[in-house]
Amino acid sequence: LESGGLILGGGGGGGSCVSASCTGTSGATGGGIILLVSASTTISSGSMIVTGGTASNCSASGGAGGGGGSGGGIRLPVRSNMVIGTNLITSLAGSGGSTNCGAAGGDGGQGRIATVSAASVTGTANPTINTSSTDFVKNVDNEAIIINLASSI
């Protein structure tokens, strides 16, 4: 990888407590990273998921639910055609934990999915794939390629 990068989804913040005798719940984990490099790709079954985790609910009196994890990053520097089915690729926000008193945890942020601007994409992802990336993939010889990730997603 020459430049740019992929960003892991951030974890959610922990829930607070309004008295010394209670405990808030922990924040959830963030989504991961997927980097798939190919000349063309067809995904007709299965899935790619880097969704943030859902925080646990808080049942302690005076405790608060933790925050949901943010979705991760999926980078698909495909040179030509990409057929991805319907919502088989996802990077969604995790939900914050609820509580019976105090405050509920907030939801995490939505992740990012991007491909090379020259790629033809058939199908849908959630969130929508960013097709305006200036990444490029080129062959050096039969055994090596250069990937330039132009910016973080």
Side-chain angles (χ1 to χ4, degrees):
L1 302 177
E2 293 182 339
S3 66
L6 292 165
I7 299 173
L8 283 166
S16 64
C17 188
V18 295
S19 69
S21 63
C22 70
T23 305
T25 61
S26 299
T29 57
I33 292 175
I34 295 175
L35 172 64
L36 174 66
V37 180
S38 65
S40 64
T41 299
T42 298
I43 301 170
S44 57
S45 64
S47 57
M48 289 184 188
I49 300 172
V50 291
T51 294
T54 296
S56 298
N57 296 329
C58 183
S59 60
S61 178
S70 293
I74 300 176
R75 184 58 68 80
L76 306 163
V78 175
R79 281 185 276 173
S80 59
N81 298 324
M82 190 163 57
V83 180
I84 60 170
T86 302
N87 292 332
L88 298 177
I89 301 174
T90 58
S91 180
L92 302 174
S95 299
S98 65
T99 184
N100 61 2
C101 61
D107 293 342
Q110 180 172 272
R112 303 286 181 264
I113 305 171
T115 190
V116 181
S117 58
S120 167
V121 179
T122 303
T124 60
N126 194 2
T128 301
I129 293 179
N130 172 2
T131 57
S132 62
S133 170
T134 56
D135 296 351
F136 70 82
V137 179
K138 67 179 182 179
N139 285 332
V140 174
D141 58 33
N142 289 336
E143 298 178 3
I145 59 171
I146 293 176
I147 306 167
N148 180 9
L149 301 180
S151 61
S152 298
I153 58 172

